[in-house]
Amino acid sequence: SGSKRCASVALSAVREGVSTGLFAGGGGPKNAGEFSLQNGLEVAGRSLGHMPRHGSREIFVIVGALSTCDPGDVLVDTLPRLLNAHVRVNCLAMCAEMHVCRKISETSGGVMGMALDGRHMKDLLHNFIAPPPALIKEQNETQLTCEFVLMGLPTRNTETLPTLVHATSAKGNGSVARNDKLL
């Protein structure tokens, strides 16, 4: 619990074959219409475009549908774009496992799970609390690398000899003041 898994979480509701957009928490949309995996992945992938490259980019799909109604081929159109953006897709099925979800999860380095009951779903969800492993950046690389973010934090230097500081105000009265208040 000392590490924070997500800096921000957004949800995309997919119904009637259309991803209705992102919303933060609150009451969800009504359960109606057809599920479109492709539209949901497209919207989620676009929302990750502004995320920095040094962090992990992940999409977590919880599927409660038995089929997907997509405008195109998810594996040909959407998956290559997600792979180029280094996005990992994890899927959790609540009903039956769809082959397309498993294929996208495995190809992107994610995890596919299928909940057998409520307790099993809770266990599967808890598996996503720990941070994921680093992805291999290039196809020919064999070692995983971590990118560190350089931080510009000030350093405190101490000297063995005392240092004198003399400050005067523009008024020339010898006191350092701002807005007629002594500092």
Side-chain angles (χ1 to χ4, degrees), residues 127-138:
N127 289 337
F128 291 99
I129 293 174
L135 289 174
I136 296 175
K137 297 288 181 187
E138 300 295 327

Side-chain angles (χ1 to χ4, degrees), residues 4-58:
K4 293 186 179 174
R5 174 84 164 115
C6 297
S8 64
V9 175
L11 300 176
S12 176
V14 182
R15 64 173 182 238
E16 297 177 12
V18 178
S19 180
T20 58
L22 299 173
F23 60 93
K30 297 177 186 176
N31 296 330
E34 296 175 334
F35 170 69
S36 173
L37 179 64
Q38 185 177 20
N39 288 338
L41 290 175
E42 291 281 342
V43 170
R46 280 194 302 271
S47 71
L48 292 173
H50 72 281
M51 300 302 272
R53 290 231 182 250
H54 62 266
S56 67
R57 296 176 176 192
E58 292 184 72

Side-chain angles (χ1 to χ4, degrees), residues 111-145:
V111 176
M112 173 71 197
M114 202 202 77
L116 301 175
D117 56 17
R119 177 74 180 148
H120 189 233
M121 183 171 173
K122 184 177 179 183
D123 292 341
L124 289 172
L125 286 171
H126 280 286
N127 289 337
F128 291 99
I129 293 174
L135 289 174
I136 296 175
K137 297 288 181 187
E138 300 295 327
Q139 296 292 342
N140 55 4
E141 285 186 30
T142 57
Q143 297 224 353
L144 298 175
T145 59

